Amino acid sequence: MPGAHILGIESSCDETAAAVVRSGEQLLSNVVASQIATHQPYGGVVPELASREHLRAIVPVVRQALAEASHSYDSIDAIAVTQGPGLAGALLVGISYAKAMAFALDKPLIAVNHLEGHIHAVLLEKRQKGDHEVRFPVLALVVSGGHTHLYLAALQGDSWTYENIGHTRDDAAGEAFDKVAKLLGLGYPGGPVIDRLSTHGDPRAVKFPPAQIKHRDRRGRNDGKDIAQGHDIRFDFSYSGIKTAILRYVEAHGMRGSVEERRKDLSAIAKPRLEDYLAHCDKVTLDLVASFQRAIVDDLVGKTLAAAQACNVATLFVTGGVAANQELRQSFERAGAELGLPVYFPSRPLSTDNAAMIAAAAYPKFLARDFAPLDFSAEASLLLR
Ligand code: KG4
Ligand code: ZN
């Protein structure tokens, strides 16, 4: 099959992933080994355990991705790997393996920013459907366990360039989902559980005062010039206040005992189903969960659309683990339709961490021969530009 067949490797957090993608537009395989079971007892990702699990999984995961794509080590054209941002020890496992492969096979090595990967997950699936047109400027909201970032993207030659116009000042949105689920005894990761439980509660039951999710921040970075003219306005987020508000709510409503009981009961079930969660949640808890999700979704959609209008963008991408959220997708779709702004998401499997997005983001770099030297290293706080 003609085209460039790139093997992507991703190990920045708690998923060991490998995928083969042809020319940034055709997914040939996509293997993800999740470590959720390892981290579940701790209610969050334990970095050392993550590195150890990546070491265990990387060889079989890469082999499976090659086999499912009907490829061998020799038949791929390049190896792409996440350089950062992420957990340094976890990143190093993928990077060391990718380097060893590139060296042994004498293939080009491509370093990819994880956040650019999330953006290219959208592009990969658009192209796969035969839709190659992208109208610029693009605004991309990358919303995950580690990030709530707004990027204005433009095209320079074949390469995408990015300007960050907003990010979270404290917790990321996914982190807020995870922490709130933990403090309500709902286990880890919190996003998928809260997503499913929210439809069973009243989203208007609990009000969170605006101070708990700071309003749109339009401070200028320098002199407050208008972003629509070339520019300097920020659209920052903040989600640590709402987490504290929920903690106070739990204390004020005497919910500690029932939270502990739920934690104990649910942790005794290997894979709790929706009915198990529902059987362990009273109306107050379901209303609290639904109200929390509504507050986060309203804030993400409100600020992102304010930024889209201020920057006069032509297209909106919403990507990252939290983009899997049902209510978030529906709200963005509704609001986008009202404004006449096309909104694109990855499918659910490509919203959360995967390696197909890394292989897709590597393709323009492959064309530009933008290869990484064998001595490049992990960058835990790598910026996207
Ligand atoms: O992109 P991702 O897999 O990893 C990072 O780069 O962080 O995102 C994981 C995050 C977790 O915080 C998880 O709770 C959240 O995405 N998440 C969700 C949903 N599925 C995953 N949050 C809300 N609703 C979901 N359906
Ligand atoms: Zn991610």
Side-chain angles (χ1 to χ4, degrees):
M1 198 188 300
H5 292 231
I6 300 180
L7 169 71
I9 295 176
E10 153 66 35
S11 69
S12 66
C13 190
D14 60 344
E15 258 105 27
T16 318
V20 180
V21 175
R22 188 183 67 80
S23 304
E25 66 178 46
Q26 190 188 3
L27 185 63
L28 299 178
S29 65
N30 183 31
V31 180
V32 180
S34 166
Q35 304 179 1
I36 285 177
T38 306
H39 302 289
Q40 222 150 26
Y42 307 95
V45 178
V46 182
E48 260 114 66
L49 292 183
S51 309
R52 201 199 298 164
E53 289 300 307
H54 285 308
L55 274 173
R56 248 198 267 271
I58 189 97
V59 175
V61 163
V62 168
R63 278 195 188 139
Q64 189 182 338
L66 289 171
E68 286 180 11
S70 304
H71 266 281
S72 65
Y73 290 106
D74 284 323
S75 63
I76 49 162
D77 297 299
I79 298 145
V81 65
T82 307
Q83 179 179 18
L87 302 168
L91 288 162
L92 272 175
V93 176
I95 291 173
S96 309
Y97 189 72
K99 279 183 184 177
M101 268 186 87
F103 179 71
L105 302 169
D106 196 21
K107 306 267 184 197
L109 180 64
I110 301 166
V112 174
N113 185 308
H114 180 83
L115 301 175
E116 184 169 29
H118 275 302
I119 292 170
H120 278 258
V122 181
L123 284 170
L124 163 62
E125 291 190 313
K126 251 173 122 285
R127 292 186 188 125
Q128 194 150 261
K129 288 180 199 140
D131 176 3
H132 288 256
E133 196 203 6
V134 182
R135 286 170 54 222
F136 288 90
V138 172
L139 180 67
L141 170 67
V142 184
V143 60
S144 68
H147 297 89
T148 308
H149 279 46
L150 277 172
Y151 292 100
L152 257 188
L155 198 61
Q156 248 177 32
D158 283 335
S159 303
W160 284 53
T161 59
Y162 306 91
E163 182 192 357
N164 180 267
I165 61 162
H167 59 75
T168 177
R169 298 218 213 127
D170 38 59
D171 292 351
E175 194 178 354
F177 272 95
D178 294 339
K179 286 179 175 170
V180 165
K182 186 176 179 182
L183 69 86
L184 293 177
L186 292 169
Y188 173 83
V193 182
I194 290 180
D195 189 353
R196 287 190 293 157
L197 288 180
S198 286
T199 53
H200 297 269
D202 176 2
R204 287 170 304 277
V206 185
K207 300 266 178 292
F208 297 102
Q212 281 160 358
I213 296 184
K214 291 186 196 91
H215 272 311
R216 188 174 76 189
D217 179 4
R218 308 195 86 192
R219 270 177 321 116
R221 268 170 295 180
N222 301 320
D223 55 8
K225 279 183 295 179
D226 179 13
I227 200 157
Q229 286 157 25
H231 321 257
D232 244 357
I233 298 175
R234 309 263 331 150
F235 295 88
D236 285 347
F237 304 86
S238 166
Y239 296 122
S240 71
I242 192 166
K243 171 196 68 193
T244 312
I246 291 198
L247 182 60
R248 298 244 164 81
Y249 189 96
V250 166
E251 278 161 3
H253 291 76
M255 294 163 72
R256 280 205 168 225
S258 61
V259 163
E260 268 324 303
E261 216 170 288
R262 176 160 53 241
R263 189 189 319 284
K264 206 162 67 42
D265 290 352
L266 287 174
S267 63
I269 306 173
K271 271 198 179 154
R273 294 160 306 151
L274 179 61
E275 303 85 84
D276 297 319
Y277 287 109
L278 287 172
H280 288 85
C281 289
D282 55 10
K283 181 167 174 358
V284 180
T285 305
L286 291 173
D287 287 351
L288 183 59
V289 161
S291 303
F292 160 76
Q293 178 170 290
R294 172 63 63 87
I296 299 271
V297 166
D298 283 353
D299 187 69
L300 285 168
V301 174
K303 282 184 185 143
T304 303
L305 290 179
Q309 286 179 296
C311 303
N312 207 8
V313 302
T315 309
L316 179 61
F317 283 11
V318 182
T319 184
V322 181
N325 186 274
Q326 190 73 29
E327 190 179 342
L328 186 82
R329 292 167 94 98
Q330 285 167 356
S331 294
F332 265 118
E333 267 161 10
R334 235 185 348 255
E338 274 167 24
L339 292 174
L341 179 67
V343 185
Y344 297 94
F345 308 89
S347 63
R348 286 236 170 65
L350 290 202
S351 293
T352 48
D353 287 349
N354 64 85
M357 67 187 199
I358 301 303
Y363 181 58
K365 298 180 203 298
F366 178 84
L367 292 179
R369 303 186 61 77
D370 180 6
F371 302 139
L374 275 179
D375 63 354
F376 93 97
S377 195
E379 273 203 45
S381 309
L382 187 64
L383 296 176
L384 179 61
R385 295 174 209 282

